[in-house]
């Protein structure tokens, strides 16, 4: 059964066409074969204030079961991509990323692989493992993430995580490569 997927990306990758290759690959497939319905909101997101944009993102993530972060050159550092990742995790979505710089842009060229956004976000677990706070790596250091408060966990984290901060990339959030890992055919499996 096809799932509703929220796509998170840097708008430059839409302009360069790379994000659209992934978002629209279902066009040549049956929706069930593609494995998802696109629930992105980027078309509506321009020219909104912070609070309105947060509401728009929250509404866009609602009703989805997976969030795919399309990773270009600067995606890892984008404020709203980080917000979409955290809100998706908070909601309980399966969250994964896909490198898209191996896809030719509208200029016919590929780019070097972008940095993994899961290396720039972390959870800091409370001393009893019952709650977590969110950290982001910015300006050369880890700081408290300001756009989303931490939350209480339904089940305490394993004792090995109590009182520690762990990057999302170390917590099992996966990143794939559209070109190197046959994203056209494997995307439904990743979802």
């Amino acid at each position: 059964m096809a799932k509703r997927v929220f796509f998170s990306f840097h708008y430059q990758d839409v302009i360069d066409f790379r994000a659209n290759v992934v978002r629209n690959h279902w066009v040549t497939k049956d929706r069930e074969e593609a494995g998802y319905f696109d629930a992105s909101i980027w078309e509506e997101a321009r020219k909104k204030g912070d609070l309105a944009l947060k509401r728009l993102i929250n509404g866009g993530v609602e009703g989805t079961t997976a969030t795919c972060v399309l990773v270009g050159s600067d995606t890892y550092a984008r404020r709203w991509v980080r917000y979409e990742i955290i809100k998706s995790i908070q909601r309980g979505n399966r969250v994964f990323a896909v490198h898209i710089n191996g896809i030719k842009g509208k200029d016919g060229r590929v780019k070097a692989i972008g940095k993994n956004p899961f290396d720039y976000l972390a959870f800091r677990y409370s001393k009893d493992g019952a709650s977590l706070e969110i950290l982001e790596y910015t300006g050369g250091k880890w700081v408290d993430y300001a756009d989303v408060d931490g939350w209480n966990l339904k089940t305490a984290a394993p004792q090995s995580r109590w009182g520690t901060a762990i990057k999302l990339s170390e917590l099992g959030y996966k990143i794939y490569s559209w070109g190197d890992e046959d994203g056209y055919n494997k995307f439904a499996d990743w979802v």
Side-chain angles (χ1 to χ4, degrees):
M1 177 179 184
K3 299 180 180 190
R4 286 182 52 87
V5 176
F6 181 86
F7 285 93
S8 177
F9 47 84
H10 179 1
Y11 297 118
Q12 185 61 46
D13 294 317
V14 172
I15 294 166
D16 291 344
F17 192 68
R18 290 175 180 86
N20 291 337
V21 168
V22 178
R23 289 179 62 231
N24 295 326
H25 85 276
W26 67 269
V27 171
T28 60
K29 297 179 174 188
D30 173 89
R31 287 257 191 197
E32 293 296 320
E33 180 188 355
Y36 76 97
F37 293 98
D38 184 354
S40 297
I41 57 167
W42 73 272
E43 292 89 353
E44 302 175 39
R46 299 175 190 205
K47 300 182 182 179
K48 302 269 184 186
D50 288 357
L51 185 56
L53 190 50
K54 284 181 181 182
R55 286 182 183 146
L56 190 63
I57 291 168
N58 295 347
V61 171
E62 193 64 34
T64 63
T65 56
T67 297
C68 175
V69 182
L70 301 177
V71 181
S73 301
D74 298 314
T75 308
Y76 77 99
R78 303 303 296 177
R79 175 184 180 190
W80 297 114
V81 168
R82 289 180 178 188
Y83 182 82
E84 291 163 343
I85 291 169
I86 296 300
K87 291 306 284 187
S88 295
I89 292 170
Q90 188 178 41
R91 186 182 185 294
N93 278 17
R94 169 163 166 49
V95 179
F96 64 99
V98 177
H99 283 294
I100 61 172
N101 272 356
I103 299 169
K104 289 182 181 178
K106 66 181 179 186
D107 62 0
R109 297 180 181 180
V110 297
K111 292 182 175 180
I113 274 192
K115 295 178 182 177
N116 184 345
F118 301 140
D119 284 338
Y120 292 84
L121 289 167
F123 289 148
R124 180 173 46 216
Y125 293 89
S126 62
K127 294 195 184 301
D128 63 1
S131 63
L132 54 81
E133 295 173 343
I134 304 147
L135 303 172
E136 67 177 327
Y137 192 78
T138 187
K141 61 184 176 180
W142 287 98
V143 298
D144 290 333
Y145 182 68
D147 282 317
V148 178
D149 293 330
W151 58 85
N152 292 326
L153 299 171
K154 293 177 184 174
T155 306
Q159 194 168 5
S160 61
R161 294 185 182 164
W162 293 9
T164 64
I166 304 173
K167 293 189 286 188
L168 297 187
S169 58
E170 296 170 1
L171 290 171
Y173 291 92
K174 296 193 183 266
I175 189 163
Y176 302 96
S177 171
W178 184 260
D180 294 341
E181 296 180 65
D182 190 19
Y184 180 82
N185 291 308
K186 300 276 177 76
F187 189 83
D189 296 333
W190 300 342
V191 169

